[in-house]
Amino acid sequence: TQGYSSAASDVYKRQMYKVKGIMYMIHSVALIIADFFVSKDVITEEEKEVCAYGMELIISSILISFVLNIMGMAIRKGK
C-alpha cells in the first residue's frame, strides 16, 4: 500500500502544480487588463486591485463554462 499512496501523492502534487499554474496565468492576465484600464484612465490606480479581482472571476467563469461545454459534448458523443 505504501507504493499506491506514494503514487497517489505524486499525482495529487502534479495536479496542484497545474492548478496553481492556471490560477497564476489567470491572475497575470487580469492584472494586465487592469493595468490597461488604468493606462486608458478607465479606472484609477486605487481601483486596480478590485478590477483585477473582478477580471479573475470573469476569466475563470468563462474557462469553466468552456470546459463544461466540451465535457458535455464529449459525453453526448459517447452515447
Side-chain angles (χ1 to χ4, degrees):
T1 61
Q2 183 67 25
Y4 288 118
S5 83
S6 177
S9 176
D10 290 345
V11 169
Y12 176 77
K13 287 177 186 174
R14 282 196 300 272
Q15 289 174 340
M16 290 309 298
Y17 287 134
K18 288 178 185 177
V19 168
K20 286 181 182 179
I22 292 168
M23 294 306 295
Y24 178 76
M25 288 187 331
I26 291 172
H27 180 73
S28 297
V29 170
L31 283 176
I32 290 169
I33 294 169
D35 282 334
F36 175 77
F37 286 163
V38 169
S39 73
K40 298 297 181 184
D41 291 326
V42 175
I43 61 172
T44 64
E45 186 69 36
E46 292 79 27
E47 298 169 319
K48 179 178 154 182
E49 187 175 329
V50 173
C51 179
Y53 178 69
M55 287 294 141
E56 286 180 36
L57 295 176
I58 291 169
I59 293 166
S60 61
S61 295
I62 290 169
L63 287 175
I64 289 169
S65 296
F66 178 75
V67 168
L68 289 176
N69 278 316
I70 297 297
M71 289 173 61
M73 287 187 280
I75 290 170
R76 186 177 297 160
K77 199 173 220 179
K79 288 185 175 185

